[in-house]
Amino acid sequence: MVGIWEMTENGDELIVKEKPGAICCFFVPNCFLKTHHMKKVEDNKWEGTLGCKTVSITIISDTELSHLTTDGYFTLTRRS
């Protein structure tokens, strides 16, 4: 799965939006882009729900995040 996500932090809230161009199943464009609303639960970790499923972001390093989506775990890498 390939995607580009935009993140906005506002205090303890983190909003993560999937941007156009996301691909699922290796080649199918994702027509239903997701938005995850999360609250900070501990240092370097935010959690929320989407469709009764847990979503989260955990900071791994300065350039990598672990992102639990409704589709499973993914690693996000900062683009330059």
Side-chain angles (χ1 to χ4, degrees):
M1 196 163 155
V2 174
I4 297 173
W5 296 81
E6 178 181 83
M7 298 182 187
T8 305
E9 188 176 8
N10 185 11
D12 285 346
E13 183 180 25
L14 183 66
I15 300 169
V16 184
K17 293 183 179 184
E18 191 173 18
K19 303 303 285 180
I23 298 170
C24 67
C25 303
F26 301 105
F27 62 89
V28 178
N30 187 355
C31 298
F32 303 101
L33 302 177
K34 299 175 180 91
T35 298
H36 300 157
H37 294 269
M38 296 176 258
K39 295 281 184 183
K40 192 169 197 170
V41 294
E42 58 186 67
D43 285 344
N44 300 328
K45 185 170 185 177
W46 293 259
E47 286 184 354
T49 58
L50 179 65
C52 299
K53 291 185 175 183
T54 300
V55 294
S56 69
I57 290 278
T58 304
I59 297 173
I60 303 300
S61 71
D62 288 343
T63 58
E64 285 189 344
L65 304 173
S66 176
H67 187 193
L68 173 61
T69 74
T70 55
D71 298 317
Y73 276 102
F74 296 92
T75 300
L76 301 180
T77 305
R78 184 183 307 264
R79 290 177 54 179
S80 307

